[in-house]
Amino acid sequence: MTLAGAIGAGTAAYAVQPEASHFVNGRYVEDTGGAVIDVVYPATGEVIARVHEATAAVIEEAIVSGRAAQAEWARLSGTERGRVLRRAADIMRERNRALSVLETWDTGKPLQETLVADATSGADALEYFGGLAGSLTGEHIPLPGGDWVYTVREPLGLCVGIGAWNYPTQIACWKGAPALACGNAMIFKPSEVTPLCALKVAEILVEAGAPAGLYNVIQGRGGVGGSLVSDPRVDKVSLTGSVSTGKKVYAAAAEGMKHVTMELGGKSPMLVFDDASVEDAVSGAILGNFYSSGQICSNGTRVFVQRGLKEAFLERLEERLQGVVMGDPMDEATNYGPMVSEAQLQIALSYVAKGVEEGARLVCGGARAEGPGCFLEPTVFADVTDEMTIAREEIFGPVMSVLDFDGEDEVVARANATEFGLSAGVYTSDLTRAHRVIGRLEAGSCFINSYNDAPVEVPFGGVKASGVGRENSKEAIGHYSQVKSVYVRMGATEAPF
Ligand code: NDP
């Protein structure tokens, strides 16, 4: 496959190699003094672009221009800020195909997915928070004697967003849109594995009217993220990443008493009761384990199936997996792509080996596909027990564990017996059981007879080790702003002496 050949006829495509590594102060910026980052196309293993890590000079310019732009931006009315975000959303939608192709180069996710899930969800966030920006107001609180208090919702200042590699466009927007709506500036550092897409978000925001410096994108590995987090001129850090990185970033942010949002990993349970629709439960398990080749934080990777339904569930799952079309991600008929990198593939393969070694039954998949690229067959283990490594640790790949259960109390206790708490799902046709069980599950984002929906109107985030704070919805406003209370005395000020 050639780079040019992958773009559909008549589509204005973006060059895969960006104009420069960083987008700072309203323009592309290069500093070849930073270490080289190769951008590898996961479907072939080819290096398709190269960028450089941000040097101290680039980081400095990002911080200085970010703070200057924030002061200017915060002076606009919310409606004016919202207009810019909504314009950016429109531009993203117009360029959806080009952005989706770029997302596919960056991540290897099939174009069939990226066309509907990435720039589109990024645009949703820009549109939603653009719409909210004009209504971010304070309160009036009447007090005895005619005194009163008013509150003002103020921006935090300069926010840092640090992204994982699975949804580079979406994460750049999920963090940027609420931050900007509230009057903040943002410096976004994408994962070194997927550095391309966030640059386009920055470029589009400037085109839509955002002041230069308001949304800067700088490249780098963990060290660059670390220096942003520890800089005293940064007021907030929002990370999407693993629990171990989250602990480090949270601790570093605490040193400066900075606000944080932590969107971290999970090992989420999906509970399938005997009375569930097998077809729907299998669909949920497929969505919650194999979409984006399993590289989704909220995936329901522990599928607890009540014993009476187990055989029917596994049989139908195996049949449905015949429908996997694995291959060239740029072919819109492909519905299953490679993992993001050789390193992630190797991690997933090591978990497959552990599953076999610890006695789980490999129902299907488990092997790397022949040929180039980081393809791992969709993998299903049955007869998985709670203490097995594959049932305890986040794999972040296409590996489903099916566990048996008998009763409701038992399965709820087992589902909650984890340090994580990102998501949970229940499949049942018993309405009262669905709500009762969801009420007892320790998770931030829950589903009844569905799995992994994440519309922008809905709070998204985890409890326990899976994170702090919420993205999306009106909840995100509270995480990108702070409240000032102003006491107004209408009479004399009384003092004891
Ligand atoms: P990592 O935790 O490895 O990295 C996340 C980001 O943090 C990367 O940009 C990384 O840079 C950066 N980073 C690493 N170390 C530091 C540091 N000390 N200071 C500042 N920044 C640092 O996660 P992955 O990129 O591997 O993503 C997979 C993980 O993300 C999974 O655990 C998954 O569950 C989670 N995730 C959570 C989501 C949620 O919303 N809850 C959504 C998507 C993923 P670099 O990559 O360059 O090292």
Side-chain angles (χ1 to χ4, degrees), residues 163 165-166 189 192 221 240-242 245 263-265 297 394 396:
W165 39 256
N166 57 345
K189 188 206 82 70
E192 81 186 69
R221 301 185 169 84
T240 296
S242 60
T245 301
E263 292 295 348
L264 309 176
C297 51
E394 184 185 45
F396 219 62

Side-chain angles (χ1 to χ4, degrees), residues 456-477:
V456 68
E457 298 87 351
V458 181
F460 180 82
V463 301
K464 294 158 76 177
S466 290
V468 173
R470 292 291 177 270
E471 296 201 300
N472 289 341
S473 80
K474 286 181 231 152
E475 289 285 323
I477 297 301

Side-chain angles (χ1 to χ4, degrees), residues 112-301:
Q112 190 191 92
E113 273 189 28
T114 57
L115 281 169
V116 298
D118 293 283
T120 53
S121 65
D124 285 351
L126 290 162
E127 185 172 13
Y128 176 83
F129 287 105
L132 277 188
S135 56
L136 302 179
T137 55
E139 279 185 299
H140 167 266
I141 304 164
L143 294 165
D147 291 355
W148 53 285
V149 164
Y150 66 94
T151 64
V152 186
R153 188 161 286 285
E154 296 186 334
L156 301 174
L158 179 59
C159 304
V160 162
I162 301 178
W165 39 256
N166 57 345
Y167 279 79
T169 306
Q170 183 188 80
I171 295 172
C173 294
W174 278 19
K175 297 189 188 307
L180 269 45
C182 293
N184 304 286
M186 174 160 276
I187 302 174
F188 187 80
K189 188 206 82 70
S191 165
E192 81 186 69
V193 180
T194 53
L196 304 178
C197 297
L199 292 167
K200 293 297 160 201
V201 175
E203 197 184 308
I204 286 169
L205 278 163
V206 165
E207 196 180 332
L214 187 71
Y215 187 91
N216 292 323
V217 172
I218 65 172
Q219 309 295 349
R221 301 185 169 84
V224 171
S227 45
L228 289 171
V229 173
S230 57
D231 194 289
R233 293 166 291 178
V234 166
D235 303 288
K236 155 142 198 161
V237 180
S238 176
L239 170 80
T240 296
S242 60
V243 172
S244 67
T245 301
K247 285 178 181 168
K248 282 186 229 158
V249 172
Y250 199 173
E255 278 293 312
M257 207 56 80
K258 298 179 203 297
H259 298 254
V260 295
T261 300
M262 294 283 144
E263 292 295 348
L264 309 176
K267 189 74 195 176
S268 300
M270 182 184 298
L271 280 46
V272 181
F273 285 89
D274 275 349
D275 60 1
S277 147
V278 175
E279 205 58 31
D280 288 343
V282 167
S283 295
I286 288 172
L287 283 173
N289 283 272
F290 301 131
Y291 199 71
S292 301
S293 300
Q295 303 165 117
I296 298 182
C297 51
S298 49
N299 272 356
T301 47

Side-chain angles (χ1 to χ4, degrees), residues 2 106 233 321 478:
T2 63
D106 223 1
R233 293 166 291 178
L321 287 175

